[in-house]
Amino acid sequence: MTISDSSFNFRRTVIAMAVFAFMASAFAQATDEKAKEAAKPEPGEVKTTQSSVTLGLGGVGGGAGNRSIYNQYNALGLNNNNPSAGILGFDYSVRDPEAMTLFKFRGANLLDDSRELGLSLTEPGEWRLKASYGELVHTNPYTINTGVVGAGSTAPQVVYLPGGVGSGYNTQLQTKRSNVGLGFSKWIDNALQIEVDFKTEKQDGSRPFGIGMNCPSPVAPGCQGTTGIAAGWATLMLPQAVNSNTSQIDARVNYSMDKLRLSVAYYGSFFQNNNPTLNPSVPGSLNNPLGTLLPLSAGLQPLLNLPVAQEPDNRFNQLSLTGTYDLAEKTRASFKLSYANTTQNQNFAASGLSGAPAGVTSLGGNVNTTLAWLGITSRPIPKLTLQADIRYADRDDKTPVAPYVMAGSSVYTNQQLPEQKVSGKLQAIYQFSREYRGTIGADYVGIDRGIYTPTAGRVASVPCARTRTRPACTPSFTR
């Protein structure tokens, strides 16, 4: 037997529904047993279906200029300065006591620019499967009047406007994010649970960006400065073309017993930029600030026409172990161990970037990060809380050092940024009364920044580079 309960609601107000399947990391034995017990059907309980639909119309008054700030993120389809938009959402769920499953399907803002869909199927205390889809559109609130041909592409062309300022065409920059998410969790037994979540997001569109150069410059000695008949500097608005993808994976195994709770996790983030460079085309003459067309000084145009590197592809991988252990009834120890690796190996030539140092094909960025933390909290008496923790973090920068910048006869490299940091804290908190609480503690921080890369900049301008920080322990009392 199936019982259905449907409703149709007409709402005059604007409703932005954030619909995502949500799953808590409930892996303790008591929580697991409680979920299973709640899922058991009552005698005579039947299959139940519930559904609802949200339908409406939203609008914003005033002119396009007045509502531009509001229209950045409103999920109403107003990002193109439309004065009105429809509202459509739904919520559908089926609870089947015989199969002990719960099915949910929801949608929000389906007629608008920022729509969302979420689906989940659950057998409480046993497993859960979820999926989601979402879009988010952001429109820059400023209307740009420009003569740039191909604004928002990877090859914009700067064009002289004979009519002067304001005689170009109007455009608004806009980016759109589209994401898909999948998740699965499974309770192996009362003490063991696994969780896996995956999300990928694609971003397209254009956003504010620009280039500029002021001559003469130490990094470009062949570039001449401004004269009465030539412009020696330029600042150009060239929108950045956005076409990238970010994927994330979060997987963990949770374990729980009487006094010990553990979570072993892997997290990965992978970024890919399909537009690695911006390749402008700048003419030999530009307007000065007074609107007078002047030829560019010698050496300036080639610099403005150089490709501009955008965000490079990169990867991040991390393994971690976190947990707690009850040392006594009122004393608990918490800990975390993690190791992470970050890499950036995008090929220069394949990205359209020339002039790399001899034998160097990519940055070869490689940074390893290690973290260890231990904390203990105790409450021996109701009014007294004792806390102690120690933390060790090490960032090992293994990126190769190579000469990337030449200024005249001077050559400069990239800089390695290693760091080791040890910190600790002891603290006692006493509640004297409802109005007064006293805290006394001592903190220690020690930082070792490694060896400064001497070829990374003008060493002469850095007479003393502090690489170590060793403050003394400082007790304090606050009320």
Side-chain angles (χ1 to χ4, degrees):
M1 178 179 179
T2 300
I3 297 178
S4 297
D5 178 19
S6 302
S7 62
F8 183 87
N9 300 320
F10 181 84
R11 302 185 181 181
R12 291 173 294 177
T13 58
V14 176
I15 300 177
M17 301 174 62
V19 181
F20 290 99
F22 175 76
M23 178 186 66
S25 299
F27 55 88
Q29 178 177 354
T31 304
D32 181 70
E33 291 294 337
K34 184 177 180 181
K36 291 182 179 181
E37 189 66 29
K40 292 182 179 179
E42 298 291 337
E45 191 174 3
V46 295
K47 186 176 181 180
T48 304
T49 301
Q50 293 183 332
S51 59
S52 64
V53 176
T54 301
L55 180 64
L57 181 67
V60 178
N66 293 330
R67 57 176 181 261
S68 61
I69 298 296
Y70 176 76
N71 285 354
Q72 292 185 84
Y73 301 103
N74 51 31
L76 293 177
L78 302 179
N79 288 302
N80 294 319
N81 286 323
N82 299 320
S84 62
I87 301 170
L88 176 62
F90 68 88
D91 194 331
Y92 178 80
S93 64
V94 178
R95 186 176 187 271
D96 189 344
E98 184 176 349
M100 296 182 65
T101 58
L102 176 63
F103 172 79
K104 292 184 178 182
F105 186 32
R106 297 180 179 181
N109 302 317
L110 299 181
L111 300 179
D112 308 324
D113 289 335
S114 300
R115 56 187 59 87
E116 299 171 356
L117 287 172
L119 181 149
S120 68
L121 180 61
T122 309
E123 183 179 345
E126 293 293 338
W127 54 268
R128 170 174 286 185
L129 176 66
K130 62 180 182 179
S132 65
Y133 173 78
E135 295 179 357
L136 178 63
V137 175
H138 171 252
T139 299
N140 189 278
Y142 304 106
T143 299
I144 301 171
N145 186 274
T146 180
V148 174
V149 176
S153 70
T154 57
Q157 181 181 356
V158 179
V159 177
Y160 169 67
L161 291 176
V165 177
S167 62
Y169 66 94
N170 292 335
T171 183
Q172 276 191 298
L173 306 182
Q174 186 179 86
T175 56
K176 178 180 179 180
R177 299 173 182 263
S178 304
N179 64 79
V180 175
L182 296 173
F184 176 76
S185 65
K186 170 65 178 177
W187 284 262
I188 306 301
D189 54 36
N190 294 336
L192 186 63
Q193 180 203 26
I194 60 173
E195 298 178 87
V196 179
D197 287 282
F198 171 79
K199 181 179 180 180
T200 182
E201 179 178 272
K202 183 173 180 58
Q203 185 175 180
D204 286 294
S206 56
R207 56 179 170 230
F209 192 73
I211 63 172
M213 186 65 190
N214 188 16
C215 297
S217 170
V219 298
C223 181
Q224 303 300 313
T226 300
T227 66
I229 58 174
W233 66 275
T235 301
L236 303 173
M237 191 285 300
L238 297 176
Q240 179 186 10
V242 179
N243 185 359
S244 63
N245 188 85
T246 303
S247 298
Q248 300 176 74
I249 302 175
D250 190 353
R252 62 184 63 242
V253 177
N254 303 314
Y255 177 77
S256 174
M257 57 184 299
D258 293 338
K259 296 183 178 182
L260 178 65
R261 288 155 294 277
L262 292 175
S263 181
V264 180
Y266 163 78
Y267 174 77
S269 177
F270 312 93
F271 174 78
Q272 179 180 348
N273 191 351
N274 298 315
N275 294 337
T277 57
L278 179 71
N279 302 276
S281 177
V282 181
S285 299
L286 294 173
N287 284 338
N288 68 5
L290 300 178
T292 303
L293 183 64
L294 292 177
L296 300 181
S297 63
L300 179 56
Q301 185 185 16
L303 291 174
L304 296 176
N305 282 321
L306 288 174
V308 182
Q310 305 299 294
E311 297 91 339
D313 298 350
N314 58 80
R315 295 186 175 189
F316 175 82
N317 294 277
Q318 182 187 59
L319 289 173
S320 65
L321 170 66
T322 59
T324 63
Y325 184 79
D326 297 332
L327 300 173
E329 182 179 358
K330 298 182 179 181
T331 303
R332 171 172 291 183
S334 304
F335 58 90
K336 179 175 182 178
L337 298 171
S338 71
Y339 175 82
N341 173 252
T342 306
T343 59
Q344 196 274 91
N345 294 310
Q346 184 164 306
N347 187 275
F348 292 141
S351 301
L353 299 171
S354 59
V360 177
T361 59
S362 71
L363 174 67
N366 187 8
V367 179
N368 298 321
T369 305
T370 305
L371 173 68
W373 173 79
L374 174 64
I376 298 177
T377 303
S378 180
R379 197 172 185 181
I381 58 177
K383 293 187 175 183
L384 179 63
T385 301
L386 303 176
Q387 297 177 345
D389 70 65
I390 185 170
R391 184 178 186 273
Y392 168 81
D394 175 59
R395 182 177 66 211
D396 185 10
D397 190 346
K398 295 183 175 296
T399 304
V401 176
Y404 288 106
V405 179
M406 177 176 291
S409 60
S410 301
V411 178
Y412 302 108
T413 68
N414 58 306
Q415 181 180 355
Q416 290 183 330
L417 295 172
E419 181 181 277
Q420 286 188 358
K421 184 176 181 179
V422 179
S423 60
K425 178 178 67 176
L426 294 173
Q427 186 171 266
I429 305 172
Y430 190 82
Q431 191 76 41
F432 293 100
S433 64
R434 296 179 58 183
E435 294 81 13
Y436 294 93
R437 181 178 65 181
T439 301
I440 185 170
D443 298 272
Y444 171 82
V445 177
I447 303 175
D448 186 347
R449 298 178 179 86
I451 300 175
Y452 176 77
T453 308
T455 55
R458 298 180 179 277
V459 182
S461 63
V462 187
C464 177
R466 186 176 63 176
T467 60
R468 293 178 181 268
T469 303
R470 292 283 189 269
C473 298
T474 55
S476 61
F477 180 80
T478 60
R479 185 179 66 180

